């Protein structure tokens, strides 16, 4: 087992050791690194590709720092800036039975690889039975004052594409468990990482093999008065809003979708039927976002249980602005969720 | 290097057989569509037979091939039966794509190491590059070969792929079938430098131009490229100059192509030319070549009858197969 020795801080993915402490906590980003490292140690078919991921540099966010030293340049491949080409090359590798994990430097750049994802990789199994077991890791989301091209949440494009699977973990444990499940899945999976959680969020992560099945939501908070359905970084804003509502005697349930494709319809309908009032929240823009599908599903299949119109909250229908007051106006947060949920509870 | 030293007379007759099989399949298909018995559109192969056959014949069964819609000869040679291909064209349940993909699209079958193509050319290039990368990864002496057209050579992905293939020394062979037209747009409206193989030099890879209507020339170029690739000397760009003798697709009368150009290329017809060469060089006589033709005619007629008699897919299966492992 490779150990990195004592380092002065705990969120460096390099210092992960084989943990025996079940109470140990990892940052969200360290959990991603741990999943990658464990899967690469387990399966020689798993390899990494992406821009600037190799060497001591280890990627724009350092997720793969130290990986080349352990696994070699053969399995940690630095690519030219050619997303369309190298994602398609990953498809070719996957067709040959390898399991490439491709790092997009930012989720915003995934549009450069759009054809190779939605036209080739996503359709191949349906068309002629070729399995494409790759994962694209896409560092997404904003609130970081990173402007229109380093803040996006483009999951809706891919949820709308047959043949893909899409996940968006909100906790360190799910970051690990969903990534391992994605790598082992025989289909193309897009794994949306939440950049604002990378080093700000720490939590318990089970050591060793830990798998969170694709397509299963998590009931993050049990409540009775209304349901907040969300995913990604907005989970924590929703939980904060729920705490404040609780102080006022409003008991909010919070469902973390975790997987966006396939959606956990059972869990969505169960919470809608239980509380009769639903607020769907995501950081991506609201128009034609994943929340629209969730709301439509509830309207179609749980209408009789509803006590209020399903509410949605998402980003505005604008490019994501840079300046702090503009981005804050664009983006949902705990305060806005609290206000919307309070109004919904009073409906 | 002369190709006759690479090929035995038996092999030369096999090349002729595969080209003729492709040609007769194509003529049968075109007639079928003219009679209104086709489903949707389709793409004639006329004029391209030497490229798809010569290239596929130069590879081993362990090599991966990613053809496009003018490479029927490669699909057949690599093991897709004419009946399965007709089944694909007619949307049958036992067609290559089980009724999922149209005409010559989606005819992948990894049991034969064939990667099916999508309309978005040149997307087979980077996917074949990925296959080639997997051979490096596993240290296997295999090559990947893919085809594209002059039209797709204008896409940015063409550049992305050749750059990475050369950078990574990938055992990849890219054949550009320069057939003078991208749908209705002639070469001179597509690019300033009409010799696409010249681009290889700036990527630091091998580039060769061959007569795409000479099956042995195509074979020799691919054989040499495959030998280089297996020896660790990296990718090769092969430009095969040819002419699309019918329209882009079955509906296209190609009135925009000058008659003189077609007449020039008709004189260079790859199938007729090879037949004459085999006669001239004493490889076979009229009787033997006629026997091959009769065998091919029967084979194609049987395949079409089999495909037309085969069932259409059950609509209840429409949602099956989107995901692997389900």
């Amino acid at each position: 087992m490779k150990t990195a020795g004592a380092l002065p801080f705990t969120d460096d993915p390099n210092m992960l050791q084989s943990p025996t402490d079940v109470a140990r906590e990892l940052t969200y980003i360290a959990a991603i690194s741990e999943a990658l490292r464990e899967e690469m140690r387990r399966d020689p078919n798993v390899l990494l590709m992406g821009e600037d991921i190799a060497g001591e540099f280890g990627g724009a966010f350092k997720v793969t720092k130290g990986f080349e030293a352990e696994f070699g340049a053969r399995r940690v491949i630095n690519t030219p800036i050619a997303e369309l080409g190298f994602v398609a090359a990953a498809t070719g590798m996957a067709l040959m039975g390898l399991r490439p994990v491709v790092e997009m430097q930012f989720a915003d750049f995934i549009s450069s690889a759009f054809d190779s994802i939605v036209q080739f990789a996503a359709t191949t199994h349906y068309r002629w039975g070729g399995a494409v077991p790759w994962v694209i890791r896409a560092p997404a989301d904003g609130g970081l004052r990173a402007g229109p091209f380093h803040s996006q949440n483009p999951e809706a494009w891919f949820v709308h594409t047959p043949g893909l699977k899409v996940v968006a973990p909100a906790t360190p444990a799910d970051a690990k468990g969903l990534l391992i499940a994605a790598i082992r899945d025989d289909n193309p999976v897009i794994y949306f990482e939440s950049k604002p959680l990378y080093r700000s969020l720490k939590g318990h992560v089970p050591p060793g093999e830990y798998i969170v099945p694709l397509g299963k939501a998590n009931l993050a908070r049990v409540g009775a008065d209304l349901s907040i359905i969300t995913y990604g970084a907005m989970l924590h804003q929703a939980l904060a809003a729920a705490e404040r509502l609780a102080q006022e005697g409003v008991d909010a349930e919070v469902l973390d979708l975790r997987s966006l494709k396939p959606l956990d319809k059972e869990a969505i309908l169960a919470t809608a039927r239980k509380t009769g009032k639903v607020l769907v929240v995501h950081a991506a823009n609201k128009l034609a976002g994943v929340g629209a599908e969730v709301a439509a599903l509830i309207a179609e299949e749980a209408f009789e249980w509803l006590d209020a119109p399903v509410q949605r909250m998402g980003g505005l229908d604008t490019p994501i602005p840079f300046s702090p007051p503009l981005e804050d106006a664009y983006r949902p947060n705990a305060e806005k969720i609290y206000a919307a949920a309070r109004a919904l509870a009073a409906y | 290097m002369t190709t006759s030293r690479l090929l035995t007379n038996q092999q030369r007759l096999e090349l002729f057989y595969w080209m003729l099989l492709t040609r007769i399949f194509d003529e049968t298909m075109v007639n079928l569509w003219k009679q209104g018995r086709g489903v949707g559109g389709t793409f004639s192969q006329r004029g391209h037979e030497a490229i798809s056959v010569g290239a596929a014949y130069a590879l081993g069964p362990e090599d991966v091939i990613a053809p496009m819609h003018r490479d029927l000869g490669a699909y057949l040679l690599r093991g897709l039966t004419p009946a399965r291909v007709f089944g694909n064209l007619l949307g049958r349940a036992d067609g290559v794509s089980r009724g999922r993909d149209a005409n010559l699209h989606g005819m992948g079958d990894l049991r034969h190491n064939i990667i099916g193509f999508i309309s978005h050319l040149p997307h087979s290039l980077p996917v074949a590059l990925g296959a080639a990368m997997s051979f490096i990864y596993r240290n296997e002496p295999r090559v990947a070969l893919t085809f594209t057209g002059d039209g797709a050579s204008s896409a940015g992905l063409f550049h992305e792929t050749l750059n990475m293939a050369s950078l990574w020394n990938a055992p990849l062979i890219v054949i550009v079938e320069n057939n003078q037209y991208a749908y209705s747009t002639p070469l001179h409206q597509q690019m300033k430098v009409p010799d696409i193989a010249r681009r290889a030099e700036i990527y630091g890879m091998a580039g060769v131009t061959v007569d795409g209507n000479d099956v042995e020339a195509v074979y020799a170029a691919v054989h040499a490229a495959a030998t280089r690739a297996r020896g660790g000397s990296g990718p090769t760009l092969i430009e095969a100059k040819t002419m699309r003798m019918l329209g882009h697709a079955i509906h296209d009368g190609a009135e925009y192509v000058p008659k003189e150009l077609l007449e020039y290329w008709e004189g260079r017809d790859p199938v007729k030319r090879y037949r004459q060469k085999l006669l001239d060089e004493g490889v076979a006589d009229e009787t033997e070549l006629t026997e091959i033709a009769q065998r091919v005619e029967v084979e194609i007629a049987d395949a079409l009858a089999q495909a037309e008699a085969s069932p259409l897919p059950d609509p209840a299966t429409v949602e099956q197969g989107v995901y692997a492992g389900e």
Side-chain angles (χ1 to χ4, degrees):
Chain A
M1 182 63 61
K2 179 184 154 70
T3 56
L7 292 175
F9 51 97
T10 55
D11 65 347
D12 188 314
N14 254 339
M15 73 164 296
L16 297 171
Q17 308 190 10
S18 177
T20 51
D21 177 8
V22 292
R24 82 200 173 113
E25 293 201 331
L26 295 179
T27 58
Y28 182 95
I29 195 168
I32 295 169
S33 294
E34 178 167 288
L36 289 175
R37 185 178 281 108
E38 289 182 3
E39 286 301 280
M40 289 185 77
R41 286 175 181 163
R42 184 189 64 82
D43 182 356
N45 285 325
V46 177
L47 70 141
L48 309 181
M49 298 172 73
E51 293 158 3
D52 308 299
I53 67 167
E56 269 310 292
F57 189 72
F61 294 101
K62 310 299 177 195
V63 170
T64 56
K65 191 170 167 60
F67 275 55
E68 188 184 337
E70 177 172 353
F71 298 106
R74 173 174 152 273
R75 297 182 69 191
V76 184
I77 301 169
N78 255 1
T79 64
I81 302 176
E83 287 86 358
L84 186 64
F86 67 70
V87 169
T91 299
M93 291 177 173
L95 285 168
M96 296 294 108
L98 299 180
R99 292 184 179 266
V101 181
V102 179
E103 178 176 304
M104 280 291 135
Q105 199 151 72
F106 286 82
D108 311 64
F109 303 142
I110 203 168
S111 53
S112 298
F114 201 61
D115 268 353
S116 62
I117 297 168
V118 308
Q119 304 290 357
F120 208 117
T123 65
T124 293
H125 195 268
Y126 186 70
R127 293 183 304 121
W128 55 270
V132 182
W134 57 232
V135 177
I136 294 179
R137 289 182 36 241
D141 206 9
L144 302 170
R145 317 318 187 194
F149 305 112
H150 293 76
S151 306
Q152 295 173 25
N153 288 289
E155 63 269 16
W157 296 338
F158 303 104
V159 172
H160 195 65
T161 301
L164 299 177
K165 296 186 179 182
V166 182
V167 298
T171 68
D174 285 348
K176 177 175 178 180
L178 283 172
L179 184 50
I180 292 177
I183 290 169
R184 297 186 187 185
D185 197 273
D186 287 336
N187 297 283
V189 182
I190 304 186
Y191 174 95
F192 283 103
E193 304 173 2
S194 203
K195 296 197 302 287
L197 303 181
Y198 270 167
R199 291 180 169 82
S200 70
L201 181 67
K202 224 171 163 181
H204 171 59
V205 177
E209 185 173 70
Y210 177 65
I211 298 170
V212 173
L214 306 184
K216 294 287 176 205
N218 178 48
L219 199 56
R221 187 182 198 282
V222 176
D225 297 333
L226 64 95
S227 304
I228 304 173
I229 301 177
T230 187
Y231 56 90
M234 283 300 139
L235 170 68
H236 306 285
Q237 303 297 313
L239 289 170
E243 285 309 310
R244 191 167 159 196
L245 289 164
Q247 290 166 16
E248 299 175 11
V250 176
D251 187 17
E253 181 150 297
V254 179
L255 183 69
D256 174 12
L257 291 173
R258 303 197 290 195
S259 284
L260 308 180
K261 189 182 185 79
L263 272 175
D264 189 343
K265 292 184 179 178
E266 309 278 312
I268 292 167
L269 294 173
T271 190
R273 288 169 179 156
K274 176 181 176 187
T275 67
K277 293 181 176 179
V278 179
L279 170 65
V280 192
V281 180
H282 51 58
N285 50 327
K286 174 174 141 183
L287 185 76
V290 171
E293 182 62 29
V294 173
L297 174 71
I298 294 168
E300 283 175 341
E301 299 191 27
F303 185 77
E304 305 84 37
W305 283 268
L306 292 180
D307 297 320
V310 177
Q311 299 295 300
R312 287 184 293 147
M313 183 182 297
L316 303 177
D317 200 33
T318 68
I320 301 171
F322 161 65
S323 183
L326 295 178
E327 189 178 24
D328 291 345
Y330 167 89
R331 188 177 166 78
N333 58 27
E335 179 67 29
K336 294 177 193 176
I337 296 169
Y338 161 76
R342 196 164 180 266
L344 181 60
Y347 183 88
Chain B
M1 179 177 60
T2 61
T3 53
S4 52
R5 267 195 279 145
L6 283 173
L7 292 161
T8 65
N9 280 354
Q10 181 57 36
Q11 289 175 313
R12 299 172 87 189
L13 286 172
E14 285 175 16
L15 282 174
F16 177 68
Y17 162 79
W18 288 112
M19 278 209 294
L20 199 60
L21 189 73
T22 308
R23 170 63 57 89
I24 301 299
F25 186 114
D26 191 66
E27 289 178 345
T28 305
M29 174 183 78
V30 169
N31 285 336
L32 201 66
W33 257 254
K34 283 182 178 167
Q35 293 162 18
R37 290 159 66 197
V39 177
T42 192
F43 299 89
S44 171
Q45 312 291 308
R46 197 173 187 89
H48 287 253
E49 296 90 342
I51 301 171
S52 61
V53 168
Y57 195 79
L59 300 181
E62 72 286 359
D63 296 322
V64 164
I65 193 163
M68 60 167 180
H69 56 305
R70 308 247 185 246
D71 300 314
L72 173 63
Y75 291 109
L76 296 174
L77 207 149
R78 288 304 293 264
L80 300 188
T81 63
R84 280 186 83 198
V85 179
F86 271 127
N88 208 66
L89 289 158
L90 297 173
R92 304 296 161 141
D94 52 3
V96 186
S97 73
R98 299 144 19 258
R100 265 60 175 174
D101 208 345
N103 48 66
L104 292 148
H105 293 66
M107 294 210 304
D109 188 338
L110 291 178
R111 293 169 302 180
H112 299 287
N113 284 314
I114 302 170
I115 293 175
F117 103 107
I118 67 168
S119 297
H120 301 57
L121 296 168
H123 268 265
S124 293
L125 265 68
V127 173
L129 167 63
M133 294 285 290
S134 80
F135 306 151
I136 294 178
Y137 190 85
R138 291 174 167 147
N139 197 24
E140 297 170 332
R142 303 163 72 186
V143 304
L145 178 148
T146 186
F147 304 83
T148 196
D150 48 288
S153 77
S154 294
L157 190 54
F158 187 83
H159 158 76
E160 290 189 18
T161 305
L162 295 189
N163 180 55
M164 287 189 289
S166 176
L167 177 69
W168 292 332
N169 215 34
L172 176 72
I173 302 168
V174 172
I175 299 182
V176 177
E177 305 186 42
N178 183 348
N179 67 7
Q180 317 299 322
Y181 281 84
Y183 203 149
S184 75
T185 303
L187 206 58
H188 68 86
Q189 289 178 17
Q190 300 180 54
M191 61 195 74
K192 191 113 175 178
V193 179
D195 298 306
I196 295 165
R198 284 178 59 191
R199 299 185 202 172
E201 186 187 345
I202 62 165
Y203 298 111
M205 63 190 284
V208 291
T209 304
V210 294
D211 177 352
N213 286 26
D214 178 346
V215 69
E216 292 189 5
V218 174
Y219 171 87
V222 174
H223 185 271
T227 304
R228 265 200 308 277
R230 275 188 244 280
S233 297
T236 301
L237 174 65
I238 298 173
E239 179 186 3
K241 291 191 189 288
T242 186
M243 179 71 201
R244 193 192 73 207
M245 297 304 288
L246 294 175
H248 164 69
I250 196 79
H251 64 275
D252 173 24
E255 296 80 5
Y256 46 80
V257 179
K259 293 282 172 288
E260 313 77 61
L261 190 59
L262 289 171
E263 282 162 15
Y264 169 78
W265 285 96
E266 183 58 35
R268 305 170 58 78
D269 180 281
V271 182
K272 293 176 188 166
R273 192 172 156 201
Y274 197 50
R275 188 179 198 282
Q276 193 58 49
K277 182 182 169 96
L278 295 179
L279 289 172
D280 292 347
E281 298 185 9
V283 176
D285 59 24
E286 274 289 349
T287 313
E288 288 168 294
L289 296 183
T290 303
E291 275 173 12
I292 292 175
Q294 285 166 344
R295 177 154 64 94
V296 164
E297 294 277 5
V298 171
E299 198 177 342
I300 294 298
D302 285 352
L304 176 58
Q306 188 184 329
E308 286 194 304
S310 70
L312 288 163
D314 179 352
T317 67
V318 66
E319 291 182 297
Q320 290 176 10
V322 178
Y323 291 95
E326 289 175 2

